[in-house]
Amino acid sequence: MSFANAFMDWALIIAFGVVALSQIMSMIRLVIGPDTGDRILALDTMVINAIGLIILLGVAQGTRIYFEASMIIAMLGFVSTVAYARFVLRGDIIE
């Protein structure tokens, strides 16, 4: 095993750990968030962390299919966050 492969393996392990820790911290913020704005922000952060985990999984396995899945999840996450924020602020999503 060359130095580059060993370095890549360690970098992936550290990245998985850091993103997983961030996901757990976002879950804690989602549960104990003092108000609704904090919970919406935590939910959006959880979507971003999930996308990061999917991309890291794609890099670890060397496939490109996870990148397309992450694009779809990113679009759904953005739309759902905007819809939820509008619902909280205005009381309806569609005017």
Side-chain angles (χ1 to χ4, degrees):
M1 179 182 277
S2 68
F3 174 74
N5 287 339
F7 184 76
M8 186 69 176
D9 289 342
W10 278 104
L12 282 173
I13 290 170
I14 291 170
F16 271 117
V18 169
V19 175
L21 179 66
S22 176
Q23 185 80 343
I24 291 169
M25 292 171 70
S26 296
M27 283 184 207
I28 291 171
R29 174 55 65 191
L30 182 69
V31 171
I32 64 169
D35 58 356
T36 307
D38 292 331
R39 290 190 170 116
I40 292 172
L41 186 61
L43 194 62
D44 191 41
T45 305
M46 286 176 63
V47 169
I48 292 170
N49 289 333
I51 292 167
L53 285 172
I54 291 170
I55 289 175
L56 285 173
L57 186 64
V59 170
Q61 293 184 354
T63 63
R64 293 184 179 182
I65 191 72
Y66 292 109
F67 298 122
E68 295 173 5
S70 66
M71 290 287 288
I72 293 171
I73 292 172
M75 287 188 288
L76 291 174
F78 174 73
V79 170
S80 65
T81 301
V82 169
Y84 192 58
R86 285 188 68 160
F87 178 75
V88 168
L89 289 176
R90 296 183 182 173
D92 61 347
I93 297 172
I94 300 171
E95 295 180 36

